[in-house]
Amino acid sequence: MRRLHTDLAAVVVLAGVAALVNLLPLDQVPLVRLISALVFTLIAPGYAVTAALFPRATLRLPERALFSVGMSLALIIVTGIVLNELPSGLDTRPWVVALGIVVLVASAIAWRRRRALVATPEAAQRAKPSLIQGTLLGVAAAICMAAVVVARTPAPHQGLQGYSQLWMLPGNDPAQTTVRLGLASEEFAATQYRLEVEVGDQTVQEWASLTLQPGQTWESNIVVPDQVSATSPLKAFLYRLDAPERVYRQVEWWPPAP
Amino acid sequence: MQARPNQHSTTGVNFIVADAPYTQRTIGFRYAFDQAAQAVQVSGWGLLPALSVVCACGVFAVAVAFTGSRAGADWLPQALFWFGLTLILLPMSIRLLAAEATREERIGIVTVLGLALYLVKVMHSPFGFTFPDELSHYRNAVEVLKNHEFFHENPALAATAYYPGLQTFTTALISLSGLDIFTAGIITVGAARLVLVVSVFLFQEQLSRSSRVAGVATVLYMGNTNFLFWGAQFAYESLALPLAVLVLFVVLRREAIEDNIDRLGYTLIAMLALLAVVVTHHMTSYVLTACLLIISAAYFVYYKGKRTGPLGLALLAMVATLSWLVYVASYTINYLSPVLLGAVRSMIRLIGGEEAARQLFTSPRSAYQAPLWERVFGFGAVLLVLLGQPFGFVQIWRRYRQYPAIIIVVGAAFAYFGMLGLRFTSAGWETSNRSSEFLFLGISFVLAVAIVDFFSTRRIFRGFGHVLLAGCMLVIFVGGVITGWTPRIRLAQPYLIDAGEHQVEPQGVAMAKWTLANLGADNRVAVDASNAKLLAAYGEQLPYTRQRYGVRNMFYSSIIGRTERRLLRRTGIKYVVVDRRLISWNHVLGIYWRVGSDPNQAKEMFETDVYAKFDQQNGVSRIFDSGNIAIYDVGVLRDATPTY
């Protein structure tokens, strides 16, 4: 009786899909890429190798499933050690080629060994879940997904204080005649600021009102004033307009030693 | 009277479905029913679907608890958390104790249980890695993705760079799927968890020839102190341990069959998994090697030299482990020696009266003292384990002593007693804690045998008595959770904060990302312990922290004197990150917005002259300020010529 090796065919096809998606520029199908990658890394190599090592139906489903996932983990780890020594290193294409070879070779061995068998003891029949049982399992999965969604709810900001980042860095010019002044808001609501740049007691530049939304960033390049020296750094003071007397953030920049 | 050996074990299909090796004189009524039920082996799902719904409700309760704890609620999240865990574990345990559950149902139950408990850990930190070791391993993945090869330095946890198993799989998944490191890491450890629970079940089943014992033992194994959180984190041991248990199962299965074709298959699987363990985690590979050697010795003695069991695999494990240690990962010796020797020295000092016993259920650093009910459960769990052992040993002697491999579980159970003593030492408690993942393989078997082969056969434990036994299993599990994880972050803490359309990260996370974007990678930075992890992971910097070169002393000092300047020159440190919060020096607690609902935390700051000392230094630029955190460019101090 001709045997259908649909399981091996499925493994090879899925591995092929994963290889195609990664070798061709197919960024528009992220879901296909994700699913095929999960099969290609977590199931296919281990399943193919298990099928090659146990051509007869001597493994029950739990053992076969365990070996499929476990051997996939182990195979990728060991394959990685080999790839690390090759010039190609650990990159997408080498992985596709290496895992593709593993799946193809193991599947071919499995097919060959199965063909050579004269008689195979049948595995025990597995009971499929009834409609009610299947529905219950689906409900359980849905509740778990809902749980994850609930758990991923960001915490409310009551009782916590947001923050703003202020920075001053040398400009990109080699002579360092400019500095880069930046401000980012990680407050919980739109915030208004006043920013002053000083040398000694003298204000050299001022932004009287800057409004940033949460997550917004502001940057400006300013020319280093002549007054800046080895004893007189450039300083920036940030104030919140709802608390204008208190320095909220401050940074300073010393010129490099000559 | 000798038990009858299993005479049907020519293939893997039906060797379980047969007479179990029980002596005739010990078969009671309940036991005969159990055997009959198993012998029928009607494959079915039984109550698994319904129990899965109950379990999922427990998971949902835990999710609500975590959401509440992040919002700062006080007692309700605690209650919901434990209620959720009870709902996850208790009904499943009751069902596993029942004789009529099929093998498939039992495997399904432990699988669902294992994944549900893993979801608890995922929901604890659903936005990003928060455990210190996870951040260390994150850096390994970053390096592999950047350089396409292993063995680049990991400044957060150097030893991990020499065991590339975890980053290999994770980066392979990332390369092929386009996922980010966090999501790929969650999936990787989730797959490892699946392998772990099924391997533990099959290992226990192979030893006991009973899926009922295996199911109960697997649940008891989940009572080890590291199962819920530590062992589920994105770290190398989380991947190595499941593969090691897989090897142990395969070895036992191989020794039980006679068919050479299948024996070859099992041998090759064991070899592959074993090699993967060797390159993934140091201690797991040592323990696995030891186990294989002990099993081989047991076979040699039992069969009077005619059989050596897995001696070939044991020798392969030894050669592979030693070779990796000597030629690749010799750093491991410097890494592990202080920990292990420290534990031994601490124990000797404790016995000699030179060291005071560590106070259990207290944390001197945070002045935390566990409430009474936690102590009751913590001690209760240990008491139940200790009380159940003798009953298990008796049953093992009566029914299982003819299996040489039984020595492994018995030895592990005995070792547990010794390891308990280490919990009273200051340097050894962590070693004791970490050993539970290995030793509970033995303890769970001994206890499961006691429960199934002894207690379940007593009239008092029939019917409703199963609930009592399941309750004891729950106590062991709860005790493990209480003693195994820092109580202040047992519940989820605020990490991402809702700001309308934007979500705000903790200051340290944002600071670390800012350094990568604005300063570039691989800068030497002096920093506190918690921000060091973040800088290594998200900032790709080279952090110097704790007592390495005396960095901690520099941070706690109120002046920049000769010692501090010398430190900066010696280390070449370019930047100093100053976090005003005292808690920043706790690498477990420091990354959160707040820990617990203590309103006084915001006031726990360094003194002004301590955290502002760099502001007094001419030439030191304060390049970044985000409130709690400031960054200083100390290049001028580092490069200054010493005047002494």
Side-chain angles (χ1 to χ4, degrees):
Chain A
M1 187 168 92
R2 196 164 147 237
R3 295 188 59 182
L4 295 172
H5 303 281
T6 48
D7 57 336
L8 296 176
V11 160
V12 170
V13 165
L14 283 166
V17 169
L20 269 176
V21 167
N22 279 285
L23 292 176
L24 300 174
L26 293 177
D27 295 330
Q28 297 85 358
V29 286
L31 192 59
V32 173
R33 187 182 177 199
L34 173 62
I35 294 172
S36 62
L38 289 174
V39 173
F40 200 25
T41 53
L42 288 171
I43 300 173
Y47 186 90
V49 166
T50 304
L53 294 176
F54 298 94
R56 299 171 299 176
T58 52
L59 286 185
R60 290 202 275 185
L61 178 61
E63 284 87 337
R64 195 170 285 277
L66 171 66
F67 290 162
S68 296
V69 178
M71 284 300 98
S72 294
L73 291 170
L75 272 164
I76 288 181
I77 290 170
V78 173
T79 303
I81 301 295
V82 173
L83 286 180
N84 191 60
E85 300 305 313
L86 299 178
S88 53
L90 298 158
D91 207 345
T92 306
R93 281 173 193 264
W95 276 120
V96 168
V97 171
L99 293 181
I101 290 173
V102 168
V103 171
L104 281 173
V105 169
S107 299
I109 294 173
W111 175 75
R112 187 79 183 88
R113 292 188 80 190
R114 285 180 184 180
R115 279 191 68 188
L117 292 173
V118 176
T120 307
E122 291 298 321
Q125 290 295 321
R126 290 193 299 275
K128 289 190 173 66
S130 67
L131 182 62
I132 294 176
Q133 289 178 324
T135 305
L136 286 173
L137 287 172
V139 167
I143 294 174
C144 284
M145 284 195 290
V148 172
V149 169
V150 167
R152 281 180 59 86
T153 307
H157 57 76
Q158 280 75 22
L160 297 171
Q161 197 171 13
Y163 57 93
S164 301
Q165 298 173 323
L166 181 68
W167 63 88
M168 187 149 61
L169 291 167
N172 292 330
D173 59 312
Q176 294 196 16
T177 55
T178 61
V179 292
R180 189 158 52 93
L181 191 58
L183 172 64
S185 171
E186 297 294 338
E187 308 288 348
F188 300 136
T191 308
Q192 285 186 304
Y193 307 91
R194 186 176 92 249
L195 183 58
E196 288 180 2
V197 180
E198 296 178 7
V199 180
D201 294 328
Q202 194 182 1
T203 301
V204 296
Q205 196 156 357
E206 182 181 354
W207 290 265
S209 179
L210 285 169
T211 303
L212 263 61
Q213 299 292 332
Q216 200 174 357
T217 301
W218 170 93
E219 269 198 333
S220 179
N221 285 322
I222 56 178
V223 176
V224 176
D226 295 334
Q227 303 95 309
V228 173
S229 67
T231 55
S232 212
L234 187 65
K235 296 186 182 185
F237 298 94
L238 184 73
Y239 303 84
R240 289 175 60 134
L241 291 190
D242 55 3
E245 300 307 316
R246 189 170 72 90
V247 175
Y248 190 48
R249 301 284 185 264
Q250 69 177 77
V251 290
E252 65 182 38
W253 179 78
W254 290 78
Chain B
M1 180 183 292
Q2 281 278 341
R4 288 169 295 158
N6 191 323
Q7 294 173 346
H8 297 269
S9 56
T10 54
T11 69
V13 175
N14 61 357
F15 93 101
I16 292 295
V17 184
D19 31 352
Y22 303 122
T23 57
Q24 289 178 0
R25 68 180 175 189
T26 59
I27 293 178
F29 166 75
R30 183 75 181 171
Y31 213 68
F33 179 77
D34 182 12
Q35 272 195 283
Q38 289 199 20
V40 172
Q41 280 289 305
V42 175
S43 182
W45 294 69
L47 295 181
L48 174 63
L51 286 172
S52 297
V53 175
V54 176
C55 181
C57 292
V59 171
F60 193 86
V62 171
V64 173
F66 285 161
T67 306
S69 65
R70 285 193 199 100
D74 201 358
W75 63 270
L76 185 59
Q78 280 272 358
L80 260 181
F81 173 71
W82 294 113
F83 170 72
L85 288 183
T86 303
L87 208 57
I88 290 171
L89 200 93
L90 192 62
M92 297 257 185
S93 302
I94 295 172
R95 181 59 179 169
L96 285 170
L97 285 165
E100 60 271 18
T102 64
R103 179 181 188 254
E104 283 75 14
E105 186 183 349
R106 295 181 196 279
I107 293 178
I109 285 174
V110 300
T111 303
V112 169
L113 196 49
L115 291 177
L117 291 175
Y118 179 62
L119 262 187
V120 169
K121 189 274 171 194
V122 172
M123 295 189 305
H124 182 281
S125 307
F127 306 110
F129 294 130
T130 57
F131 298 177
D133 279 8
E134 291 184 314
L135 295 168
S136 301
H137 285 280
Y138 187 102
R139 175 60 178 262
N140 286 330
V142 166
E143 292 294 334
V144 173
L145 289 171
K146 203 162 60 172
N147 302 296
H148 306 296
E149 60 182 11
F150 307 140
F151 306 128
H152 282 260
E153 182 191 358
N154 186 321
L157 197 57
T160 60
Y162 302 103
Y163 292 91
L166 179 68
Q167 50 265 39
T168 302
F169 187 90
T170 310
T171 55
L173 180 57
I174 292 169
S175 298
L176 295 169
S177 65
L179 290 170
D180 57 281
I181 297 178
F182 173 66
T183 310
I186 292 292
I187 292 172
T188 301
V189 177
R193 264 288 141 125
L194 187 67
V195 170
L196 177 65
V197 292
V198 179
S199 295
V200 169
F201 180 95
L202 293 176
F203 169 78
Q204 305 282 14
E205 185 189 49
Q206 193 65 45
L207 271 178
S208 62
R209 272 65 169 170
S210 165
S211 61
R212 191 177 177 206
V213 169
V216 172
T218 307
V219 173
L220 286 167
Y221 177 78
M222 297 176 186
N224 80 71
T225 54
N226 293 329
F227 188 84
L228 187 61
F229 288 119
W230 178 269
Q233 66 177 332
F234 179 63
Y236 47 1
E237 189 178 347
S238 305
L239 180 54
L241 181 62
L243 292 174
V245 181
L246 174 66
V247 172
L248 290 177
F249 156 62
V250 168
V251 159
L252 295 189
R253 173 64 67 89
R254 190 188 75 153
E255 295 305 316
I257 61 172
E258 292 162 6
D259 182 87
N260 284 333
I261 295 176
D262 283 352
R263 278 182 67 94
L264 177 63
Y266 286 120
T267 302
L268 291 173
I269 284 185
M271 282 172 61
L272 192 59
L274 191 155
L275 291 174
V277 171
V278 167
V279 306
T280 300
H281 188 239
H282 35 71
M283 191 53 79
T284 306
S285 63
Y286 307 155
V287 172
L288 179 61
T289 303
C291 287
L292 293 174
L293 286 169
I294 292 170
I295 294 174
S296 304
Y299 268 85
F300 186 84
V301 169
Y302 186 80
Y303 288 103
K304 297 183 177 52
K306 292 187 187 130
R307 282 180 70 174
T308 54
L311 181 62
L313 287 168
L315 292 174
L316 173 66
M318 200 162 66
V319 168
T321 302
L322 282 174
S323 300
W324 195 262
L325 178 66
V326 169
Y327 295 112
V328 177
S330 54
Y331 178 89
T332 314
I333 300 170
N334 289 337
Y335 171 65
L336 288 179
S337 306
V339 176
L340 298 174
L341 291 175
V344 172
R345 277 194 220 107
S346 200
M347 190 61 160
I348 293 172
R349 282 201 298 270
L350 179 69
I351 294 171
E354 295 169 37
E355 181 181 302
R358 184 176 154 266
Q359 292 294 311
L360 300 178
F361 301 106
T362 59
S363 174
R365 271 187 280 181
S366 63
Y368 173 85
Q369 202 166 45
L372 178 64
W373 76 268
E374 286 190 9
R375 293 164 182 257
V376 168
F377 270 84
F379 281 120
V382 175
L383 199 62
L384 283 171
V385 169
L386 293 177
L387 288 176
Q389 303 271 34
F391 295 95
F393 288 139
V394 167
Q395 297 303 316
I396 286 172
W397 177 256
R398 292 167 86 184
R399 303 174 199 281
Y400 301 105
R401 65 178 188 268
Q402 72 276 20
Y403 301 119
I406 211 74
I407 191 170
I408 277 294
V409 293
V410 170
F414 272 114
Y416 175 73
F417 293 101
M419 281 298 180
L420 276 182
L422 275 180
R423 286 192 172 265
F424 292 95
T425 65
S426 57
W429 73 267
E430 190 181 349
T431 303
S432 170
N433 203 36
R434 298 286 296 275
S435 67
S436 70
E437 290 173 286
F438 304 101
L439 300 180
F440 251 72
L441 268 180
I443 294 163
S444 59
F445 180 84
V446 174
L447 286 179
V449 164
I451 288 173
V452 173
D453 291 345
F454 180 78
F455 290 108
S456 285
T457 61
R458 307 295 115 174
R459 192 186 296 272
I460 187 174
F461 289 114
R462 292 180 199 162
F464 184 74
H466 279 176
V467 177
L468 198 58
L469 289 172
C472 292
M473 292 163 67
L474 180 66
V475 169
I476 292 174
F477 175 80
V478 170
V481 175
I482 286 170
T483 52
W485 195 239
T486 310
R488 294 177 75 185
I489 55 165
R490 190 178 297 144
L491 297 185
Q493 300 303 314
Y495 186 84
L496 268 194
I497 308 300
D498 183 26
E501 290 177 8
H502 180 62
Q503 283 152 15
V504 183
E505 294 174 314
Q507 271 196 51
V509 175
M511 176 274 299
K513 293 179 180 177
W514 180 89
T515 62
L516 180 61
N518 290 277
L519 304 179
D522 297 328
N523 293 292
R524 298 182 184 209
V525 184
V527 62
D528 58 84
S530 62
N531 285 309
K533 294 289 184 183
L534 297 171
L535 277 173
Y538 302 128
E540 297 181 36
Q541 307 298 341
L542 301 174
Y544 286 69
T545 189
R546 298 194 179 200
Q547 284 299 46
R548 192 177 169 198
Y549 300 104
V551 167
R552 186 184 159 102
N553 291 342
M554 180 181 75
F555 276 92
Y556 276 77
S557 164
S558 57
I559 61 167
I560 306 294
R562 284 184 184 181
T563 307
E564 289 75 24
R565 291 169 193 267
R566 194 183 308 134
L567 182 160
L568 295 173
R569 276 197 305 276
R570 262 175 58 206
T571 56
I573 286 171
K574 169 75 170 158
Y575 300 104
V576 173
V577 172
V578 176
D579 191 323
R580 297 192 303 155
R581 305 167 306 144
L582 286 165
I583 204 169
S584 66
W585 282 94
N586 185 318
H587 69 165
V588 177
L589 307 179
I591 76 167
Y592 297 104
W593 284 80
R594 71 155 180 259
V595 179
S597 54
D598 179 5
N600 294 320
Q601 273 181 49
K603 299 178 187 164
E604 293 173 352
M605 303 290 195
F606 281 100
E607 298 295 326
T608 308
D609 57 347
V610 170
Y611 75 71
K613 55 181 177 285
F614 287 99
D615 289 321
Q616 318 304 325
Q617 302 297 315
N618 283 351
V620 173
S621 295
R622 183 180 164 122
I623 62 172
F624 175 93
D625 183 1
S626 66
N628 283 337
I629 297 176
I631 301 179
Y632 298 89
D633 181 341
V634 295
V636 67
L637 297 179
R638 178 193 66 179
D639 300 335
T641 305
T643 56
Y644 54 88

